[in-house]
Amino acid sequence: MTPSLAELSETYWKHGFLTGVPVLDPEELERATEGFSRLENEFGLEYTQYSLHNVHLKYRWVMSLATHPKVLELIKGILGPNVILLDSRFICKYPTKQKSPSDACESQKHVLPYVAWHQDIRYWGFEGGSVASVWLALDDVDQENGVLQVIPGSHHQGLLPHITSPNPGNMLTANQEIPEHLLNTSEAVECPLQAGQMSIHDGLTVHASESNLSTRRRCGFVIRYVPTTAYPVQDPDRPRTFNATVLVSGVDEYSHFPNNAPNLQ
């Protein structure tokens, strides 16, 4: 039996995440993967790995993913009816598995990208509401190609200290991680996805992902949402700007963020 919206919301707030939620039908998935392929051809793989940031302002097909009815239905069930699209980014881990000993020797010159254990809220600095982060899978995601790992219930711990990561290859912009002694990684669970499905996690949920060791791409569209009650807390050591925020549901009585809704043709 398919769980109700209320049941999904209850599970989310108890554990800090949901996974395996179907979103895109086969035709929608095909359009999305074709659109991303065009971006790969235009910008190159090195750029599309992590630098396609907030392109929902530029491409209608990207905005349609960020405002997909199935995504927003669940987001509203979690955050309430008044929702702001905060930020979006394509994240793509390209294949790194080698096919021959000579290739393996060559790969030692390169650092494999990964995402260290962290909490999203550390990078955004909000009060007055939660951040919900969506990973909408354009490719199948499993252990071999760097599946998302979360520590259930970790969002109840509050914000944990983050330090500069000593290990190269961390894809996080600020190269931070939560110290290992503060984590019980034995409790971590994986969030495998089929292409077209999504996972959602709270901004305080501790999560990470390993390198892609497969011969397959692992690409997803990350979308972050906040309720209109949320407001940014400025940090002089880490100035923040919000030039891609869009009201995607309900009304905004607070105006804590500008509404940058684009006029896409």
Side-chain angles (χ1 to χ4, degrees):
M1 180 181 295
T2 302
S4 67
L5 186 59
E7 290 171 330
L8 288 171
S9 179
E10 182 180 359
T11 298
Y12 177 87
W13 287 115
K14 179 179 180 180
H15 298 293
F17 75 101
L18 294 169
T19 191
V21 180
V23 177
L24 303 179
D25 63 32
E27 291 184 0
E28 291 172 326
L29 177 60
E30 183 178 8
R31 288 196 297 270
T33 53
E34 287 177 351
F36 189 77
S37 293
R38 291 192 296 270
L39 296 180
E40 287 180 316
N41 292 333
E42 180 178 355
F43 295 104
L45 302 190
E46 182 177 353
Y47 189 88
T48 55
Q49 177 176 251
Y50 197 69
S51 298
L52 289 171
H53 188 210
N54 290 331
V55 294
H56 62 270
L57 298 178
K58 184 175 180 181
Y59 302 102
R60 176 176 290 279
W61 69 269
V62 179
M63 180 63 86
S64 71
L65 295 178
T67 57
H68 193 287
K70 290 184 179 178
V71 175
L72 290 184
E73 179 185 28
L74 186 48
I75 290 296
K76 288 188 290 184
I78 292 169
L79 297 180
N82 305 315
V83 177
I84 289 172
L85 164 60
L86 180 70
D87 173 85
S88 76
R89 185 189 296 272
F90 283 98
I91 298 179
C92 214
K93 290 182 181 176
Y94 288 98
T96 55
K97 191 171 184 179
Q98 308 303 316
K99 297 181 175 61
S100 70
S102 61
D103 289 339
C105 291
E106 181 67 22
S107 74
Q108 293 176 4
K109 301 177 183 179
H110 305 286
V111 175
L112 301 182
Y114 72 100
V115 177
W117 290 105
H118 70 286
Q119 296 165 300
D120 290 340
I121 200 70
R122 174 64 183 87
Y123 300 91
W124 298 110
F126 288 105
E127 294 182 4
S130 298
V131 180
S133 294
V134 166
W135 176 281
L136 180 56
L138 300 190
D139 299 321
D140 292 344
V141 182
D142 54 35
Q143 185 180 63
E144 190 181 26
N145 71 350
V147 67
L148 173 71
Q149 302 174 58
V150 303
I151 299 181
S154 55
H155 62 307
H156 296 305
Q157 297 177 267
L159 182 61
L160 298 173
H162 289 61
I163 61 173
T164 300
S165 175
N167 302 311
N170 186 9
M171 293 179 71
L172 294 175
T173 304
N175 188 32
Q176 290 189 320
E177 65 177 24
I178 299 172
E180 290 186 9
H181 71 274
L182 296 178
L183 302 173
N184 187 356
T185 55
S186 64
E187 297 180 351
V189 300
E190 297 178 347
C191 298
L193 296 171
Q194 297 177 0
Q197 293 181 333
M198 72 174 173
S199 63
I200 311 176
H201 63 266
D202 182 72
L204 283 169
T205 299
V206 177
H207 60 291
S209 64
E210 298 292 345
S211 301
N212 180 359
L213 300 179
S214 75
T215 57
R216 296 170 289 117
R217 189 185 71 177
R218 182 255 201 183
C219 183
F221 183 44
V222 175
I223 327 159
R224 295 185 175 95
Y225 303 90
V226 293
T228 56
T229 54
Y231 56 90
V233 178
Q234 293 301 327
D235 181 349
D237 296 326
R238 184 175 169 79
R240 300 177 175 95
T241 58
F242 300 93
N243 54 12
T245 48
V246 178
L247 180 67
V248 292
S249 176
V251 295
D252 183 3
E253 298 178 350
Y254 303 94
S255 299
H256 293 148
F257 301 94
N259 186 9
N260 298 291
N263 182 19
L264 298 173
Q265 300 301 319

